[in-house]
Amino acid sequence: GQSYKDHGNVDKAIEWYQKRIDMKYNDDEEYISYISCIEIDFLREKYENIVKYCENAYKIDNTRLESIYYLLMYYNYINKNK
């Protein structure tokens, strides 16, 4: 997913990050895949999966703050655009 993301092919990146998530092999890689999906969705202004991605990342590792940070960013965005 990272190579596709780096080259701007975000749809393919999301597809491969999702495949990595579905493997359920390594928690750290699964967490980073969720965070990467969140970052891509923010960039392309597709917000429908943000909360789900944040919640899933938090369930994997609740000691890391990226998922909380992005969830707060999402709610801040929603509140500003009411």
Side-chain angles (χ1 to χ4, degrees):
Q2 186 65 43
S3 294
Y4 287 114
K5 181 181 175 187
D6 291 344
H7 287 93
N9 191 343
V10 293
D11 291 329
K12 203 72 165 161
I14 290 281
E15 175 187 335
W16 281 94
Y17 283 127
Q18 191 59 53
K19 287 180 183 186
R20 181 66 199 90
I21 290 166
D22 293 342
M23 291 173 66
K24 306 255 187 248
Y25 174 69
N26 178 296
D27 285 350
D28 189 52
E29 289 181 18
E30 188 177 348
Y31 181 88
I32 293 300
S33 293
Y34 276 121
I35 297 303
S36 296
C37 288
I38 293 165
E39 293 169 345
I40 290 169
D41 279 354
F42 266 116
L43 288 174
R44 55 186 194 165
E45 299 180 354
K46 288 190 164 189
Y47 303 107
E48 62 270 4
N49 292 318
I50 297 286
V51 172
K52 177 182 73 171
Y53 289 152
C54 289
E55 288 174 347
N56 289 341
Y58 183 79
K59 287 176 189 174
I60 293 167
D61 190 344
N62 63 9
T63 65
R64 295 181 69 165
L65 299 178
E66 295 100 323
S67 60
I68 301 298
Y69 169 77
Y70 284 118
L71 191 60
L72 291 171
M73 275 183 54
Y74 169 76
Y75 284 120
N76 185 46
Y77 172 80
I78 294 299
N79 286 332
K80 283 184 178 180
N81 294 301
K82 281 186 175 181

